[in-house]
Amino acid sequence: MTDSIPPNPARTRREWAVDACLFLFAVGIGVLSAVDRVGLGLTEPAWFFDVEQVVGALGCAAIWLRRRWPVAVAVALAALSAVFELVAGAMLVGLFTVAVHRPPRTSITVFGLSLITALAYVLLRIESDYDRGLLLMLGVAFQGVATGWGLVIHHHRQLVARAGAEARLLAEQAQHHAREAVAREMHDVLGHRLSLLSVYAGALEYRPGAPPEEVAGAAKVIRESAHQALQDLRAVIGVLRAPVGELPQPGLADVQELVDESSRAGMKIELSAPLPQSVPDTTGRTTYRVVQEALTNARKHAPGAEVRVLVAGARGEGLTVEVCNTAPGSAPAVGGGAAGQGLAGLAERVRLAGGHLVHGPTAAGGWRVEARLPWPP
């Protein structure tokens, strides 16, 4: 992997400020070192001191290139620091930059190289009046602080990036769950309405000679059901366009209207009465969806069958919802849809509500759907 990074023409104000501060830091270290050498009279030979000042200035200027070539700049400055003392400040900035922008393994490697150059400087600059061991320890300490500080910032940035990635993942999961919830609502609501339309349309198709009043009544129900289906679809689309908000949710009290509506469509339904009272909202809403899906499937797959709906339970014992139909009185309608998809979604809905769903054929050739839902005391 190359060390080069494409230049960023849109450097932010903060980046300019950071680069300027680090440049001034390197210049300050170089100036202090030069003043110290002049004060100690360590400027001979004069030509070498002049060269060292030029190299120190170029090293400070290289700081402005460190964002594009962090490793290359740090290695070059570390190598120069083995001979030229005035690039020490720029070398520290290079170590810090590598530790911030590169993996820890690369940072430790460059730091190890800088330790070798620190040892080389102590051995080569024999004119220094300082104790060589103390000078080496000071160099190692400063280089360790620069690298350690950069590693801390690198780790902090990784934590922030990981937290951001996890937040985005959670948001995507929440969006996925919301879409699944809307899809279930569309299946439950529109499937019920469209199955009613299919029943009345089938009656008109197979009874072309029906009295005008029956035809008019069936047409009215078809029109009303189609209008209600459009209203339900608009409500679902409204929730998709405006994530804040929820679909209007039916409850256990609406089961009676659901049964009456299906009875008007010609289904033979027996409902246990009275319905339990003070059922939790989640349990009541799930009960409604269980009955709705079972009646929709009975209309599609068992036309003419008798249906029995039982809703019973008590606080602390749970709520039982059972919908059982007899064998179909006629052949199922063509194009009724793939069986099982709605029941799979219904089982997931019941599970999310803390309950359990079972379904299957009966000994008499019918079908039974039973859900057991929690009802806390």
Side-chain angles (χ1 to χ4, degrees):
M1 181 173 56
T2 179
D3 178 53
S4 176
I5 300 175
N8 181 13
R11 183 178 294 184
T12 64
R13 226 177 250 188
R14 178 180 178 277
E15 291 173 341
W16 277 109
V18 170
D19 290 348
C21 289
L22 293 177
F23 173 76
L24 293 177
F25 169 80
V27 171
I29 295 296
V31 170
L32 290 176
S33 298
V35 171
D36 182 62
R37 291 179 63 80
V38 171
L40 295 175
L42 302 177
T43 58
E44 298 297 336
W47 66 268
F48 183 82
F49 184 63
D50 294 337
V51 172
E52 188 170 14
Q53 293 180 76
V54 173
V55 172
L58 293 176
C60 293
I63 290 177
W64 296 97
L65 303 176
R66 79 191 203 289
R67 291 185 181 273
R68 187 171 185 182
W69 298 290
V71 176
V73 170
V75 170
L77 292 175
L80 291 173
S81 68
V83 179
F84 302 104
E85 179 183 358
L86 301 187
V87 298
M91 182 265 296
L92 294 177
V93 174
L95 293 178
F96 170 76
T97 302
V98 171
V100 170
H101 297 286
R102 288 293 180 265
R105 184 175 181 178
T106 302
S107 304
I108 297 301
T109 301
V110 176
F111 173 67
L113 176 63
S114 71
L115 296 182
I116 297 176
T117 60
L119 178 61
Y121 172 80
V122 171
L123 296 177
L124 292 174
R125 299 303 295 267
I126 58 175
E127 77 278 5
S128 176
D129 289 341
Y130 292 108
D131 179 80
R132 291 186 177 184
L134 177 61
L135 192 62
L136 179 61
M137 286 190 294
L138 287 175
V140 172
F142 282 120
Q143 291 163 208
V145 169
T147 303
W149 184 20
L151 289 174
V152 169
I153 295 177
H154 177 81
H155 180 66
H156 175 71
R157 289 183 176 181
Q158 282 189 323
L159 291 178
V160 172
R162 188 178 299 114
E166 291 177 354
R168 289 191 295 271
L169 179 61
L170 291 176
E172 292 175 359
Q173 290 177 346
Q175 187 179 28
H176 178 69
H177 293 327
R179 288 176 177 174
E180 286 185 342
V182 172
R184 284 195 296 267
E185 295 298 326
M186 291 181 67
H187 174 273
D188 294 339
V189 176
L190 297 183
H192 172 70
R193 298 294 176 189
L194 295 178
S195 66
L196 289 177
L197 288 175
S198 177
V199 169
Y200 281 99
L204 292 178
E205 178 183 3
Y206 289 105
R207 296 187 60 193
E213 57 273 12
E214 291 187 12
V215 174
K220 178 182 178 181
V221 173
I222 292 175
R223 178 180 59 81
E224 291 176 350
S225 297
H227 176 73
Q228 187 60 45
L230 289 175
Q231 293 296 107
D232 295 336
L233 183 60
R234 288 192 186 100
V236 172
I237 294 175
V239 172
L240 290 176
R241 289 177 175 174
V244 178
E246 296 181 354
L247 287 171
Q249 299 290 345
L252 184 58
D254 299 304
V255 171
Q256 182 65 58
E257 174 59 28
L258 180 65
V259 171
D260 293 341
E261 186 179 41
S262 299
S263 297
R264 291 193 294 270
M267 295 186 69
K268 302 174 184 179
I269 306 178
E270 176 188 354
L271 173 64
S272 63
L275 294 171
Q277 301 297 319
S278 303
V279 175
D281 293 341
T282 301
T283 301
R285 182 165 56 250
T286 306
T287 300
Y288 180 92
R289 294 308 187 192
V290 170
V291 175
Q292 184 183 55
E293 177 65 22
L295 293 181
T296 300
N297 288 340
R299 274 193 299 270
K300 291 193 299 183
H301 305 295
E306 296 182 1
V307 182
R308 181 174 61 88
V309 179
L310 171 66
V311 181
R315 292 179 183 272
E317 298 179 2
L319 190 70
T320 300
V321 186
E322 183 183 30
V323 182
C324 184
N325 62 267
T326 60
S330 59
V334 178
Q341 296 298 323
L343 289 176
L346 187 62
E348 176 66 14
R349 181 191 294 275
V350 172
R351 186 187 66 80
L352 292 176
H356 179 66
L357 180 76
V358 294
H359 54 80
T362 63
W367 190 268
R368 182 178 70 92
V369 175
E370 180 181 352
R372 296 185 181 274
L373 299 167
W375 189 353

